[in-house]
Amino acid sequence: MAVALYPGSFDPITRGHVDLVHRAARLFDRVVLAVANNPGKRPLFSVGERMRMCEGAVTNIDNVEIVAFQGLTVEYARTHGIDVILRGIRAISDFEHEFQLAGMNRHLVPSVETVFLAPSAKYTYLSSTLVREIAAMNGDVSDFVTGNVAAELRRRLRAEAPDAS
Ligand code: ADP
């Protein structure tokens, strides 16, 4: 069975990530979307919240599973018998970092291949960072994230907003 591991912060998952999952789900028997539990990055959402948002965003894709992981991505792949790491390339600016990561991962575990997919052109400028920034300034993020994620962003940012009274 061909399985792809799609690792990331997903803080939060965007329609660009979902687009990639759709593409991968057609190419692989199973896609494992792996939410990185990396407290050093100080994410806006906890790993549990990010997993729940991912579940809601890909609920209509059958062969996707959501997991959390800590530590090296290649180690997770190796210990779970997964041969492919999936990463997204939005633009040339992503390429250098992703290429370096793929080379390092190949050095660490040569049997694991990295596969790159490009999203639909309309998502090439989309990132979780921009979504967080737009939402924090009360901008409309509905073109960029699924409804469950937009609602979660509103809830979180309302809770964090200073009391206006
Ligand atoms: P990380 O912290 O690992 O970069 P991200 O959640 O930002 O985590 O991204 C996970 C993967 O998804 C990366 O390979 C990234 O290039 C890709 N990605 C991020 N945004 C998009 C997008 N809009 N379209 C396609 N791929 C994307």
Side-chain angles (χ1 to χ4, degrees), residues 22 29 32 50 64 86 114 135 151:
H22 267 290
D29 298 307
V32 179
R50 283 180 277 146
V64 184
L86 171 71
T114 301

Side-chain angles (χ1 to χ4, degrees), residues 6-10 16-17 20 41 87-88 90 94 98 119 123 126:
Y6 182 28
S9 308
F10 304 107
H17 294 125
L20 232 67
K41 272 199 165 183
R87 297 287 289 178
R90 285 162 290 188
D94 278 339
E98 293 295 339
Y123 300 131
L126 179 51

Side-chain angles (χ1 to χ4, degrees), residues 22-83:
H22 267 290
R23 289 170 201 281
R26 287 199 297 267
L27 298 172
F28 295 91
D29 298 307
R30 195 158 61 91
V31 178
V32 179
L33 192 161
V35 180
N37 188 4
N38 181 358
K41 272 199 165 183
R42 295 178 50 81
L44 175 62
F45 293 104
S46 72
V47 70
E49 290 167 330
R50 283 180 277 146
M51 287 176 79
R52 202 174 60 230
M53 285 187 278
C54 288
E55 266 152 28
V58 301
T59 185
N60 56 341
I61 313 174
D62 288 338
N63 51 340
V64 184
E65 184 191 336
I66 318 288
V67 300
F69 78 106
Q70 204 154 11
L72 290 175
T73 306
V74 271
E75 272 309 310
Y76 185 92
R78 195 181 61 78
T79 55
H80 290 79
I82 301 174
D83 300 323

